[in-house]
Amino acid sequence: SQVAYVSLAESQDFLSTGKVAFGIEARTTGIFEAAGIARAIQKRLGFPFNARDWTEFNPTFFSALRTEKVTMTIILVFIVAVAAFGIISTLVMMVMEKHRDIAILKSMGATDGGISRIFLIEGLLIGGGGILAGLALGLGTVRNIGGLQNLVERIFGYNPLPPEIYNLSQLPATIEPIQIALILVAALGSSILATIVPSWQASRTDPVEGLRSE
């Protein structure tokens, strides 16, 4: 809707510029290398030539994308924090329910470290199960993003990604192993940290107090 394509000769004749071109477009092998190449061209040619990369043609759009990325990162951090608190509350409740069993184990010779490891392993199993389920769900969503978009459109009767607003007919998605690995490590680390307090609480159980009512 905004661009008309004509031959170079017709354009020069229409604008009466002679054998002159106002611009030359170059395509790079990697889209994210364009900015560095543009700077190199600008430095090489100097004034009065100007080199612009593809992100400069739609600054508002890419600014909105950066804002969305930061916002999604913050939301994901809170989601992970809520999941970590869920693990903590689950283990704390389990420690309270198993107070008598912990006391029996300690009276039979179980060490504080052994009791801590029991709940540490249990927390890791809970967190690990959630990580694996989330990984499978996330990869499945990314691989079938087009079908899910069409399903939402059929069910609710509207396109969640209108082309006139986002300039996209389908949500682009790619799988980046490095980012996935970082997310998995962060989630596993959060699971480990979430087990520290309940494990310490369980190891501090006094067997005498635990068996007093028996």
Side-chain angles (χ1 to χ4, degrees):
S1 61
Q2 299 178 359
V3 178
Y5 291 92
V6 298
S7 67
L8 180 59
E10 292 290 343
S11 175
Q12 291 168 338
D13 180 64
F14 179 77
L15 297 173
S16 301
T17 59
K19 299 298 181 179
V20 174
F22 289 116
I24 298 174
E25 182 176 303
R27 178 172 294 181
T28 62
T29 54
I31 60 174
F32 296 109
E33 298 173 1
I37 294 175
R39 287 192 297 268
I41 293 174
Q42 180 71 54
K43 184 178 180 181
R44 182 71 177 270
L45 296 180
F47 183 82
F49 299 101
N50 181 38
R52 295 193 301 170
D53 67 279
W54 57 278
T55 61
E56 297 180 40
F57 289 97
N58 299 283
T60 304
F61 178 70
F62 289 103
S63 176
L65 287 181
R66 282 192 293 269
T67 302
E68 285 188 18
K69 188 173 183 179
V70 172
T71 304
M72 286 303 301
T73 301
I74 295 174
I75 292 174
L76 288 174
V77 168
F78 279 109
I79 290 174
V80 172
V82 169
F85 279 112
I87 294 176
I88 291 175
S89 60
T90 300
L91 291 180
V92 168
M93 291 297 296
M94 191 166 295
V95 169
M96 295 176 63
E97 292 176 358
K98 301 295 183 180
H99 193 73
R100 172 177 170 275
D101 299 309
I102 295 171
I104 292 174
L105 287 174
K106 296 193 75 173
S107 66
M108 296 174 63
T111 63
D112 291 348
I115 298 297
S116 296
R117 282 193 293 274
I118 292 174
F119 288 92
L120 178 63
I121 292 172
E122 185 156 2
L124 288 177
L125 290 175
I126 295 173
I131 290 171
L132 292 177
L135 178 62
L137 182 61
L139 291 177
T141 301
V142 171
R143 292 183 183 277
N144 300 280
I145 191 70
L148 292 174
Q149 180 181 338
N150 295 332
L151 179 62
V152 170
E153 187 173 358
R154 286 198 304 269
I155 293 176
F156 296 100
Y158 77 97
N159 187 357
L161 195 71
E164 61 273 11
I165 297 177
Y166 296 100
N167 297 322
L168 297 168
S169 60
Q170 185 174 337
L171 185 66
T174 182
I175 297 175
E176 298 185 7
I178 295 178
Q179 288 196 14
I180 292 176
L182 291 175
I183 293 171
L184 293 180
V185 170
L188 185 60
S190 300
S191 300
I192 294 174
L193 291 176
T195 61
I196 292 177
V197 173
S199 300
W200 178 81
Q201 181 184 4
S203 67
R204 301 292 295 175
T205 299
D206 186 355
V208 175
E209 292 294 330
L211 296 174
R212 182 183 298 274
S213 60
E214 297 298 322

